[in-house]
Structure formats: C-alpha cells, structure tokens
Amino acid sequence: MKAFPSTEPIYRDNVIGMKQSNGMDLRDYFAIRFAQSQIELIKDEQFDALETFKTSYKLADIMLKARGL
C-alpha cells in the first residue's frame, strides 16, 4: 500500500500532460513518522539511532498488521 499517491497536471500554456507519483510505501511512512518523534532523544544521545530506526520498522510492521495488510 502506498502513502500519498498523486496525479498532477503539467502546464506550459495549457495542460500538456499529467505527472503521476506512486507515493511512498506506507511502511516507510509509518517508520519515518515514529523516527521523527524520536529525533530529539537521538540528538541528546539518549537513544542509539540505528536501534531507533530498527524499532521504527518493527512498529510500522505492527501497524500494518493491525490494519490487516
């Protein structure tokens, strides 16, 4: 499943086409959002960055499972 898929018009004088973006994987989006919430703790060296990012993906997998994906 994707987060933020979009279709946007491409303009010159008139609409000359459409640009499509498939977005990003929902798993990556969930992981990024959790990691962002932990940035201050990582900066303050209260958490190990690599372990925080690994945990982010574990939580993302749990969130996807809860959604039935």
Side-chain angles (χ1 to χ4, degrees):
M1 180 171 262
K2 299 289 185 174
F4 313 114
S6 65
T7 303
E8 300 174 28
I10 301 169
Y11 295 100
R12 290 249 163 75
D13 291 327
N14 288 316
V15 175
I16 61 170
M18 299 299 279
K19 178 176 87 172
Q20 289 193 301
S21 170
N22 291 330
M24 64 188 307
D25 286 335
L26 191 55
R27 180 178 185 249
D28 289 332
Y29 176 72
F30 286 158
I32 289 166
R33 294 299 300 188
F34 177 77
Q36 284 176 328
S37 74
Q38 305 302 305
I39 292 298
E40 289 302 317
L41 298 172
I42 293 168
K43 285 182 190 175
D44 294 341
E45 298 180 14
Q46 295 178 31
F47 288 119
D48 176 75
L50 181 59
E51 288 304 313
T52 299
F53 298 138
K54 286 180 182 179
T55 300
S56 296
Y57 275 99
K58 288 177 186 175
L59 289 171
D61 290 339
I62 292 167
M63 292 172 76
L64 290 170
K65 185 175 180 180
R67 287 178 55 107
L69 300 176

